[in-house]
Amino acid sequence: MSDRDPRQLAADSPGSASTIVVVAPATTRGRIAARPAGAGRSGWLIAVAAVLSGVALLLLALRLGGALTAPIPGLPDAGPATAWALPAVRLLSDGLATVTVGMLVTAAFLLPGDERSVSPHGYLLLRRASVTAVGWAVAALSLLVLTVSDLLGQPLDTLRPSTVVSFATSIAQGQSLALQAGLALAVALLSRTGVSRGLAATVAVLASVAVLPPAFTGHAAGAGNHQIAVTSLALHVLAAAMWTGGLVALLMVRRSRLLADAVARYSRLVLGCFVAVTVSGAANAAVRLGAVEQLWHSRYGWLVVGKLAALLVLGAAGAAHRSRTLPALRAGQRRAFGRLAAGELIVFAATVGLAVALSRSPTPDAASSAEADPITELLGFPLPAAPTPANLLGQPLPDMFFLTLCVLGVGGYLSGVRRLHAGGHRWPVIRTASWVGGMLLLAAATNLGVARYAYVLFSAHMAQHMVLSMVVPILLVGGAPVTLALRTLRRPGDPQVRGAREWLLIAVRSRPTRLLTHPLVALGIYSASLFGLYFSDLLGVLMRSHLGHLAMLTHFVVAGYLMFWVLIGVDPGRRRLPHPLLVSIHLASMMAHGFFGLVLMQTTTVIAPDWYISVHPAWASSLLDDQRLGAGIAWAFGELPAVIVMIILVRQWIRADKREQARLDRAADRADATGEDDDLARYNAFLAAAGQSVEDPRRTAGPGFHQT
């Protein structure tokens, strides 16, 4: 099957009953009517049982958690329609989002393909995902209207369209729902535009991103310690969607002969999802509960305990899959997977209903959070004391995103080095030290006390920026992670399956990578990080949003990594440029950095005044003085990293010249041994002949040459 002609889907094997294919007549070519054999009565029974389970747990948890209590007299009430419809539509939206993500991830990464196209079952999952994504978009828009009604206490029939539009464009919670609806609609359209595996992977990533926006504006965004609450909830939602949705997708193709291999790959994915859901759920519950005793002293805690029990049941089911179902599938017993997966799916549906009820239930720390000062609500923590070395290093501000990134980065890298050594191969210790050092420095800059002061002091923010954009990327580039990954990642047993190594190769060789590694593009991105952020209103906008703050810090690291990868990287995928040109690019980046520092020191206007005025500590110097200190840090900080990069460039230049000279010497030795001229001898002969022709043009002139 190819991208240009998806008109006919072959079954998995000759005579297989896994897919019934009907080829359309010539007048309607390109349309496919296909029905998996597993979508019969048993499939509908599983779906109905799962829906009933989710609804039942939702109603029970809403009643137990106090979300359906009578309205407070004197306060506006949206009415029973909103009170009952809001959690129901939320359950529907979460369910459709989960199924959409699961089908796309399964089609792109778990099922084998047909050369560059997805498999026949993958094609069917793509088409079904387009339908569920449309329903997801409609549910998100409906949730937007119901949320306005609930927040304003207005019945649905009294809401004005202008109010809904204003909420969707100016309030963070409304913007997140509108964004989710738009992304879901994009997923629906892209799912029907082709059948390539690259497109399926792109749409799967887009759908995974689409489940995240509401996580940044719910309970977690209003809780203390945004850095843990918001990020842990986003990680929790994404991992749960892949876990549950993947199971649904595998049930849809459970009669395929490829099920055993797909379930084996899904089992490895589930193991990571289980760890992510457990850790992120525990971190998020700790922030919302405030104290361990609230687990049994509050209704919210009772619901958390119920969700924990469901997680244990699902973990046991996953272990049963690995120990019993996988061997049975390899032996040809496909019904073993269907029975266990159906029960697991029902528990999953109940867990989703429980999670929706948790999002509607008041947390135990609601009273204390309501009395918190505005600074704590804005930052997620109270104003820190005056900075000292002990405070900068000894008052950590854990951020779940960067902590997870650093733990996975260090663990994965060391695992690759260990696998390489186990195979009898060596890996330079300096590269390991460089990568681990970069990750540890990244964790320190984003999780230690300096991260607290980076929120309230421009100078601390600038120091954090310089570390993340210059020192951390240099160390990470020196670790050569792509080279290590390509040498240690295992190839799948099925050549039609794309594993992590195959996707990495595709990314390295892709056109976006070649564009981003163009020296002018990399230099432009690096320079734009300096001038575009601080000489516009962008800094204040990003600082007010936890998601924006994460995006800004991530951009610092990525922009720096891209720049130094072009200059001193050794991984495949970057453009091979002459060393004199690389030195010129580095000098240009140094000039841009120095010019930025000088301009910033001469600026008399406060940058991001709305933000820094609202969080300015009483013990700090004036905003303009602190900004000048930050400008001095920016101007002076780049000297040492720039010198280090220049030394590395010169060293690489010398080594390249030595390698070229050694190559020429080997060629000359071979020429002497064989009696043939080498490249250098032929070049010298060419120069000699050219010199003679200049001295006497008649030697190279044709027979018609006449001297006048």
Side-chain angles (χ1 to χ4, degrees), residues 458 461-462 464-466 468-470 473 520-536 538-539 542 551-564 589 592-593 596-597 600 607 634:
F458 182 85
H461 165 80
M462 185 58 68
Q464 186 187 47
H465 181 174
M466 294 297 103
L468 294 180
S469 64
M470 300 194 73
L520 295 181
V521 174
L523 180 61
I525 294 175
Y526 186 76
S527 302
S529 303
L530 301 173
F531 294 94
L533 178 64
Y534 297 106
F535 296 109
S536 67
L538 185 58
L539 177 61
L542 295 177
M552 177 177 61
L553 298 185
T554 303
H555 174 77
F556 292 160
V557 179
V558 173
Y561 188 94
L562 183 63
M563 183 67 198
F564 294 111
S589 68
H593 191 276
F596 164 76
L600 193 59
I607 296 174

Side-chain angles (χ1 to χ4, degrees), residues 456-523:
V456 299
L457 294 178
F458 182 85
S459 56
H461 165 80
M462 185 58 68
Q464 186 187 47
H465 181 174
M466 294 297 103
V467 171
L468 294 180
S469 64
M470 300 194 73
V471 184
V472 170
I474 292 174
L475 293 172
L476 296 182
V477 168
V482 177
T483 302
L484 178 64
L486 292 177
R487 292 182 63 181
T488 56
L489 288 174
R490 295 189 177 96
R491 293 181 175 87
D494 187 349
Q496 294 298 327
V497 173
R498 286 181 179 174
R501 187 179 187 277
E502 286 69 29
W503 285 111
L504 179 59
L505 279 173
I506 291 174
V508 165
R509 298 169 179 172
S510 64
R511 291 182 179 178
T513 300
R514 291 191 58 82
L515 174 64
L516 293 175
T517 55
H518 191 283
L520 295 181
V521 174
L523 180 61

Side-chain angles (χ1 to χ4, degrees), residues 542-616:
L542 295 177
M543 293 293 283
R544 288 188 174 274
S545 166
H546 180 65
L547 178 60
H549 190 258
L550 285 180
M552 177 177 61
L553 298 185
T554 303
H555 174 77
F556 292 160
V557 179
V558 173
Y561 188 94
L562 183 63
M563 183 67 198
F564 294 111
W565 190 33
V566 171
L567 291 176
I568 59 175
V570 296
D571 283 328
R574 57 183 287 271
R575 292 173 180 265
R576 301 297 177 180
L577 302 174
H579 283 86
L581 179 58
L582 292 177
V583 172
S584 301
I585 296 171
H586 181 49
L587 292 175
S589 68
M590 292 174 59
M591 293 174 59
H593 191 276
F595 181 70
F596 164 76
L598 290 175
V599 172
L600 193 59
M601 283 192 290
Q602 297 175 0
T603 301
T604 58
T605 303
V606 176
I607 296 174
D610 293 341
W611 171 259
Y612 284 109
I613 289 175
S614 61
V615 299
H616 189 65

